[in-house]
Amino acid sequence: MRDIPVNTRPLDGPPPRIDGPEGATDCHIHVYIEGHAPQPGGPPIAELATPDDYVVVQRRLGLTRVVITQSNAYQFDNGATITGLKAIGAETARGVVVVGPDTTDAELAEYHTLGVRGARVMNLPGGAVGIDGMAEVEARIRGLGWHLMVQFDGREIERHRRALEAIRTDYIIDHTGKFLAPVPADDPRVDTLLRLIDRGNAWFKVAGLYETSRTGAPDFADVAPIARRVIAHAPERVIWGSNWPHVGVARENYPDDAVLLDNLAAMADEATRRRILIDNPATLYGFA
């Protein structure tokens, strides 16, 4: 008997309008795999979401490479992420794990060999490591050349600015800045975000617009302008992720992955999209 139901989310459908060129990368998915149980402190797992499930989504979108991000449900247990990496292979997959006080140097070395290139910092409910633990994590990963993937309520960016400025490795400002109540693109807090990017080690991930948008699909008109402003300002520092399998979203509001990819067409021209989907992820994640 399965403890967690198999996936019932829609995986296939009409392709996106824009082509996914060879080497195009989805920089943010999660996997939920049989035999890996949710951990105390994290959210429950409603359904499995396996590497085989994602292959269907990936094929539909015309993408080639993927970054598996440790789910909050698993907290400090990176087992499912590592299982997913092994299933897909380091030629086309990378990983972002959670690094805790009990993570050994030997584990970090093994993770690196398997394709891990980042550590997750989640300063929102359910996160395993918050910004208060970020400096300790950075010290552990710096020698490996990994980056930090940092998610927080963008409305609090000034509160976290000094901690972000102190980061010496590369780091990603996750989920389109994750302004939990959308703000205009010319908001002073977006100005702060751009200044952080201009320091040279911050990246910006366009992902999860549906999580914070009040106006909704297909345009996410209250959130997308922030992404457009960042892309226009620093296209060389932007990556994209689907955030599949969109956990925590009611089925009636479940986003269409093709629509999420097509949002880039309204944000960037073809040359810039290639940069976001291919060149920038190759630089950050070390894809050949």
Side-chain angles (χ1 to χ4, degrees), residues 13-209:
R17 297 190 306 274
I18 65 174
D19 292 330
E22 182 66 26
T25 308
D26 185 341
C27 288
H28 197 116
I29 75 160
H30 305 288
V31 293
Y32 301 92
I33 300 175
E34 189 173 8
H36 297 275
Q39 299 297 303
I45 299 173
E47 296 180 357
L48 300 178
T50 69
D52 286 343
D53 292 330
Y54 180 70
V55 165
V56 180
V57 177
Q58 188 180 51
R59 184 170 55 240
R60 175 195 180 195
L61 299 181
L63 304 177
T64 308
R65 298 166 175 164
V66 65
V67 179
I68 301 174
T69 299
Q70 171 77 346
S71 166
N72 293 325
Y74 292 122
Q75 294 289 289
F76 293 98
D77 181 355
N78 292 303
T81 297
I82 297 304
T83 298
L85 277 178
K86 290 178 177 178
I88 298 173
E91 183 176 346
T92 58
R94 295 289 186 267
V96 174
V97 298
V98 167
V99 176
D102 296 328
T103 307
T104 67
D105 290 342
E107 286 174 318
L108 294 179
E110 178 188 4
Y111 292 165
H112 188 85
T113 299
L114 293 170
V116 173
R117 293 296 182 269
R120 190 174 197 196
V121 173
M122 176 70 168
N123 204 67
L124 291 169
V129 177
I131 286 178
D132 59 350
M134 185 166 65
E136 182 177 353
V137 171
E138 187 201 0
R140 296 290 311 281
I141 68 172
R142 190 181 303 139
L144 293 165
W146 292 7
H147 64 268
L148 295 166
M149 178 186 291
V150 187
Q151 189 171 156
F152 54 90
D153 182 350
R155 298 174 302 175
E156 300 176 349
I157 194 168
E158 282 294 343
R159 180 186 305 176
H160 304 310
R161 179 177 56 82
R162 290 189 182 277
L164 296 169
E165 289 174 344
I167 297 173
R168 293 163 55 188
T169 62
D170 281 347
Y171 69 98
I172 298 168
I173 297 173
D174 207 5
H175 271 46
T176 322
K178 198 63 175 271
F179 292 89
L180 289 180
V183 302
D186 60 355
D187 188 276
R189 290 163 289 191
V190 180
D191 296 340
T192 297
L193 191 155
L194 295 183
R195 285 193 293 270
L196 288 168
I197 292 173
D198 288 344
R199 291 171 60 86
N201 65 328
W203 298 74
F204 180 84
K205 185 192 298 166
V206 179
L209 277 70

Side-chain angles (χ1 to χ4, degrees), residues 225-247:
I226 295 173
R228 284 197 293 270
R229 185 180 176 197
V230 176
I231 290 169
H233 182 82
E236 75 284 359
R237 307 299 291 183
V238 179
I239 57 178
W240 176 88
S242 67
N243 200 37
W244 182 88
H246 318 296
V247 295

Side-chain angles (χ1 to χ4, degrees), residues 273-287:
R273 292 199 301 271
R274 289 185 63 88
R275 199 172 196 177
I276 293 169
L277 291 172
I278 303 175
D279 300 338
N280 294 347
T283 297
L284 183 60
Y285 286 99
F287 287 113

